[in-house]
Amino acid sequence: RRLRWAITDTLLAVQKGVVGRSIEIVPRQKIQSIHVGSNPLMRRIGLARLKVLTAGAMMRNEVSIPDLE
């Protein structure tokens, strides 16, 4: 419930938090690499973390989406 994300043709949007909500929007043309990883506990219950690395000095360079099935 605290994490929502969406991928469209032009952007990736990630919403985090309950009280202090934040929304991170990344244009798809700025995405340089995507990393999927998990630790042993996460693998056991079938979860993974997605990290998206982006280009550009004015933007945050990493957006992560935790606990994906």
Side-chain angles (χ1 to χ4, degrees):
R1 289 183 187 174
R2 294 176 290 171
L3 175 71
R4 294 180 184 175
W5 57 276
I7 299 174
T8 68
D9 292 338
T10 58
L11 58 91
L12 166 69
V14 179
Q15 177 182 349
K16 297 179 183 178
V18 176
V19 176
R21 276 196 184 155
S22 66
I23 299 174
E24 299 178 46
I25 298 175
V26 177
R28 284 184 68 171
Q29 64 191 19
K30 297 282 186 178
I31 294 175
Q32 286 190 333
S33 64
I34 298 172
H35 300 278
V36 178
S38 61
N39 59 34
L41 179 61
M42 291 174 74
R43 281 192 293 272
R44 186 170 183 166
I45 58 177
L47 298 177
R49 174 179 303 262
L50 178 76
K51 286 187 180 180
V52 178
L53 302 175
T54 60
M58 299 300 289
M59 299 178 64
R60 184 175 172 195
N61 291 335
E62 180 181 308
V63 176
S64 68
I65 303 173
D67 302 336
L68 292 174
E69 291 183 8

